[in-house]
Amino acid sequence: MLQTIRDRSQGIIVGVIVFLICVTFALFGVQEFVTDSQRVVVATVNGDDIELEQYQDAFRRYRDQLRAALGEAFNDRDWTTQQAKEEALDQVVNEQVLKRFVDDSLIVISDDQVAQAITSEAGFQQDGRFSRELYDRYLRISGTSEIGLEERVRGDLAMSQLRNGTAASEFITRSEAIALQQLRLQTRDIGYAVIPATAIDDVIPSAEEIDAYYEDHREEFRIQEKAELEYLELSVDNLIASVEVDEQQIQAWYDENKAAYNIPEERNVNHILVRVEQDASEDEVLAKLVEIGTIRARALEGEDFEALASELSEDVGTKADGGETGYFPRGVMAPEFEQAAFELSDEQVSEVVRTEFGFHLLKLRGIKDGSIKPFEDVKTEVENALKRSLADDLYYEWAERFAELVYEFPDSLQSAAETLGLEAQTTLALTEKQISEQFSEKVGAVAFSAEVLIERLNSEPIEISTSELVAVRVVEHQPSRIPQPSEIADEISSRLRAELREQRAAEQGQALIDRLLEGTAVEALVSEQDLDWKFVEGASRESTDVNRAVLRKAFAAPPRTDGYEYLGLSLGTGDYAVVQVGNVREPDEIAIIQAEIDELKRMLQRLRFPNAWIEFVAAARDSAAVEEFPSRL
């Protein structure tokens, strides 16, 4: 058969095949074949592909946003897990679904709106004005085109408009708010006594009981498998100690990076605030605007601004000091307030400024000019920054060599350690969870893989964070096992005794409840049983005079306006509480202040909106054709 194929491949058939191939390349180009083979699709939404590159860009954006928000609390390791990657993929898919929804809903964002959003972005502001230089620098650093950024901002504004529309659809009725406020302000009379398990006579379990308990709870005593690891770590932090710099290098770094050691200009103003709720009506806003305008006119006519602030400002924090804020740099105050403050000249009174808090008037009190910190004051800081920069460079140089050595000597980490001047370290015997907590979930999984655990080979170099690599190998393995009863006899006995005491405390408590339900007076039982009975009349949901668990149980009971209900409750300590609850009282509708109702409606609306948005996104996604391929991440 093979010979027949070879013989026939010399003739016209091959000519036709070659011709067709040539035509295909001529029409579509070699690049189409190369590009198509490199495309990795990680999800599809309504037939539109989401490619790996698009997902990776979004993943980096989410991570950077969270890093900026959390600061030092941000942990790079949290972003190395498969779960984090899949959650990010879900977010990308949701964005694609919502983008289609926005397009179908004909939500339009004008060029003027996009321009306004970009020019007012704090990161592009310098001295209170839009800086083209900062804008261009961001585009260069982020690798984003001007058109690309504008389209992203347009999409964000459209999404914000959609979210606001969803929020506006949520409303709370007056009757709902009143009913909830009545529940919040409800009071109940609560009496209770706690029967401590420790007061029950000690019980000594028999050998038969211990054996039976062991057989019934064998899996609870299982010891998880553990591995003792040898590991080699390459990190920027470790490399910093090996970096040496001289005075000349430190001075040069300072000269090149003076902007990093800038002391920003600070301003101190006196201000007057007239509060305006964000959801105030037009009439309310107009009335407040007239009020602040009148105050401004008095200030311009020569009245003392500080005296006006002390008398009329509604900012409790500064009113007593004549409205003085103290010195502050940019980026601290509300953007509108800050812009006005940094545009004022000495003793000038500002125009009326509106922020989320209301209307403000500002008067400049003082300026601390910006400056550059002297070299001698920041020499140590500069030296540390230089060393970290050099260590970063060294890390990326060594990372490749680190990987090569780990692979080149697969059954030992010592060669890599000696070559790179690192020290191999060992752990105690740890479970997979403990290894994950010390390093990362990926290290925990790799440590118990067949290649590393059974063959005792080095793991692949694993990226713990953007500045840390680790490779591990198993030194010793302790398989999972269930210990023999003799090994854990004391633990079994202790558990069994605690359970029996808890059981007997509950039995004793339930017997008391039965007698109370039969009509025995509380006073008689208290005297007879020598109980420490506590009674709180008119307890609220926030009462601190009642045990928290008892309080929750009492308010979960069906309300009774006459007589008492008796309940039993096992406490987390093993103790048992006997609870008396009754005389439920609620304020009538007239007693509830309108301001409380309005505030409760606003609070409920704020609480409901996140869930409403989540439900909206889920519904939009359910209506779309979505397919994800998490294994390709």
Side-chain angles (χ1 to χ4, degrees):
M1 175 63 75
L2 293 176
Q3 184 60 47
T4 302
I5 293 173
R6 281 194 290 271
D7 291 342
R8 292 182 178 179
S9 68
Q10 306 298 320
I12 192 169
I13 295 176
V14 168
V16 172
I17 293 172
V18 171
F19 172 76
L20 291 173
I21 292 173
C22 291
V23 170
T24 304
F25 275 93
L27 291 175
F28 299 102
V30 175
Q31 184 60 34
E32 289 295 326
F33 287 89
V34 175
T35 303
D36 192 60
S37 66
Q38 292 177 341
R39 291 177 70 249
V40 178
V41 176
V42 296
T44 62
V45 178
N46 293 326
D48 296 331
D49 292 339
I50 296 175
E51 296 184 21
L52 180 61
E53 184 178 2
Q54 177 186 348
Y55 160 78
Q56 289 172 335
D57 287 343
F59 184 88
R60 282 191 291 270
R61 187 168 72 252
Y62 302 150
R63 184 180 59 193
D64 291 345
Q65 288 171 349
L66 195 61
R67 180 186 284 115
L70 296 181
E72 293 182 1
F74 179 82
N75 187 349
D76 267 319
R77 295 181 181 181
D78 294 340
W79 289 79
T80 62
T81 66
Q82 183 66 19
Q83 180 182 350
K85 294 175 182 177
E86 292 181 13
E87 287 176 356
L89 180 59
D90 280 339
Q91 183 68 15
V92 175
V93 168
N94 289 345
E95 287 182 359
Q96 189 75 7
V97 169
L98 292 172
K99 182 178 182 299
R100 173 67 68 88
F101 189 92
V102 167
D103 292 341
D104 293 344
S105 302
L106 302 179
I107 296 176
V108 177
I109 303 298
S110 69
D111 292 341
D112 287 343
Q113 288 174 290
V114 174
Q116 174 63 27
I118 291 175
T119 55
S120 60
E121 172 61 37
F124 302 148
Q125 298 282 318
Q126 189 170 31
D127 298 329
R129 301 179 184 280
F130 174 71
S131 168
R132 182 73 196 195
E133 182 182 349
L134 292 177
Y135 177 68
D136 290 339
R137 184 189 302 170
Y138 169 80
L139 295 178
R140 288 195 304 272
I141 293 174
S142 65
T144 307
S145 68
E146 193 166 333
I147 294 176
L149 177 61
E150 289 173 2
E151 287 307 304
R152 194 168 77 199
V153 171
R154 193 185 304 277
D156 290 344
L157 291 174
M159 201 66 65
S160 177
Q161 191 168 323
L162 179 62
R163 283 176 62 91
N164 291 338
T166 305
S169 68
E170 285 294 309
F171 64 92
I172 308 297
T173 65
R174 175 184 170 83
S175 59
E176 283 180 291
I178 290 174
L180 182 57
Q181 187 69 343
Q182 286 176 321
L183 284 175
R184 292 177 67 191
L185 300 177
Q186 185 186 93
T187 62
R188 301 183 176 200
D189 293 347
I190 301 172
Y192 70 100
V194 175
I195 301 171
T198 53
I200 305 297
D201 291 339
D202 198 7
V203 288
I204 308 299
S206 64
E208 291 77 13
E209 287 176 317
I210 290 176
D211 289 341
Y213 189 89
Y214 174 80
E215 290 302 325
D216 290 341
H217 300 82
R218 287 171 60 91
E219 282 299 325
E220 295 178 19
F221 298 106
R222 178 176 290 280
I223 298 172
Q224 291 183 306
E225 68 172 331
K226 297 181 179 181
E228 181 182 329
L229 302 182
E230 180 183 33
Y231 67 96
L232 193 62
E233 181 182 37
L234 177 68
S235 71
V236 171
D237 289 340
N238 291 341
L239 290 174
I240 287 176
S242 66
V243 175
E244 295 184 0
V245 294
D246 57 31
E247 186 85 11
Q248 187 176 356
Q249 289 174 299
I250 299 172
Q251 180 69 56
W253 178 268
Y254 171 78
D255 292 338
E256 292 171 7
N257 298 275
K258 281 187 176 180
Y261 306 103
N262 177 53
I263 299 174
E265 175 188 341
E266 294 184 350
R267 295 203 165 198
N268 184 11
V269 300
N270 296 97
H271 88 113
I272 298 170
L273 169 66
V274 173
R275 291 194 176 277
V276 182
E277 297 295 335
Q278 288 184 286
D279 57 353
S281 67
E282 291 185 9
D283 289 343
E284 290 172 324
V285 172
L286 183 59
K288 297 293 186 179
L289 189 57
V290 170
E291 182 180 342
I292 195 77
T294 302
I295 297 172
R296 184 172 187 273
R298 290 172 62 181
L300 293 177
E301 288 170 1
E303 287 195 49
D304 184 74
F305 193 91
E306 292 184 38
L308 288 172
S310 298
E311 177 188 354
L312 302 172
S313 180
E314 296 178 5
D315 183 359
V316 178
T318 64
K319 181 174 182 175
D321 297 320
E324 184 178 359
T325 60
Y327 283 94
F328 59 89
R330 292 183 183 276
V332 174
M333 299 296 190
E336 305 88 351
F337 188 100
E338 176 186 292
Q339 182 172 347
F342 279 84
E343 288 178 351
L344 288 174
S345 56
D346 194 33
E347 297 297 312
Q348 180 186 1
V349 176
S350 73
E351 300 288 340
V352 175
V353 177
R354 184 171 186 180
T355 70
E356 60 181 307
F357 305 105
F359 291 119
H360 303 258
L361 288 177
L362 292 73
K363 183 175 182 180
L364 184 62
R365 184 182 181 92
I367 298 176
K368 287 183 180 178
D369 292 331
S371 62
I372 301 295
K373 297 177 184 177
F375 174 72
E376 291 302 325
D377 291 352
V378 293
K379 182 179 177 182
T380 301
E381 183 182 343
V382 175
E383 182 178 355
N384 291 336
L386 174 57
K387 284 185 174 182
R388 174 161 286 276
S389 177
L390 295 174
D392 280 335
D393 296 339
L394 194 59
Y395 173 79
Y396 289 111
E397 289 177 18
W398 282 26
E400 186 174 351
R401 184 63 178 142
F402 181 90
E404 290 173 355
L405 290 167
V406 168
Y407 285 124
E408 189 175 345
F409 303 96
D411 57 352
S412 172
L413 293 174
Q414 291 302 319
S415 295
E418 292 169 5
T419 302
L420 297 175
L422 302 174
E423 182 181 353
Q425 303 176 68
T426 57
T427 68
L428 300 173
L430 303 173
T431 64
E432 181 175 343
K433 181 180 178 182
Q434 291 170 329
I435 293 172
S436 297
E437 290 172 349
Q438 181 168 335
F439 298 99
S440 73
E441 288 188 8
K442 188 172 183 181
V443 175
V446 167
F448 288 90
S449 65
E451 187 177 62
V452 177
L453 184 66
I454 299 173
E455 299 180 32
R456 301 294 171 93
L457 298 178
N458 298 339
S459 73
E460 62 181 2
I462 301 166
E463 189 177 53
I464 302 297
S465 70
T466 55
S467 60
E468 184 179 6
L469 275 178
V470 68
V472 303
R473 62 183 297 272
V474 172
V475 178
E476 183 181 340
H477 176 229
Q478 299 176 5
S480 172
R481 69 184 184 90
I482 297 176
Q484 293 300 312
S486 57
E487 298 178 64
I488 52 173
D490 290 344
E491 182 181 354
I492 296 173
S493 178
S494 177
R495 277 200 195 187
L496 191 51
R497 287 160 60 192
E499 286 191 13
L500 290 172
R501 281 182 169 182
E502 183 177 349
Q503 178 183 330
R504 292 185 184 181
E507 290 171 354
Q508 183 175 327
Q510 192 57 52
L512 294 177
I513 291 172
D514 290 342
R515 292 180 62 186
L516 289 168
L517 291 173
E518 290 169 358
T520 304
V522 169
E523 293 77 11
L525 275 183
V526 167
S527 175
E528 176 189 324
Q529 300 291 329
D530 193 23
L531 296 175
D532 181 14
W533 185 264
K534 296 180 180 179
F535 184 80
V536 178
E537 184 177 1
S540 72
R541 295 176 187 273
E542 306 302 324
S543 291
T544 57
D545 298 331
V546 182
N547 175 287
R548 295 303 299 173
V550 170
L551 192 67
R552 287 194 296 271
K553 183 73 173 180
F555 273 92
R560 288 187 59 170
T561 55
D562 60 326
Y564 288 98
E565 187 74 36
Y566 295 97
L567 313 163
L569 173 64
S570 292
L571 303 176
T573 57
D575 300 340
Y576 194 84
V578 175
V579 183
Q580 176 195 58
V581 57
N583 198 15
V584 176
R585 295 177 291 274
E586 290 182 353
D588 58 32
E589 184 176 333
I590 298 174
I592 299 176
I593 303 170
Q594 181 62 41
E596 293 177 348
I597 297 173
D598 292 341
E599 176 58 29
L600 195 56
K601 287 173 69 176
R602 284 192 291 269
M603 181 189 75
L604 287 173
Q605 195 161 359
R606 287 194 299 269
L607 291 174
R608 281 190 184 180
F609 172 61
N611 287 335
W613 177 247
I614 290 170
E615 291 171 3
F616 176 82
V617 174
R621 180 167 176 150
D622 287 343
S623 65
V626 174
E627 189 172 7
E628 295 184 356
F629 310 103
S631 61
R632 300 176 184 175
L633 300 178

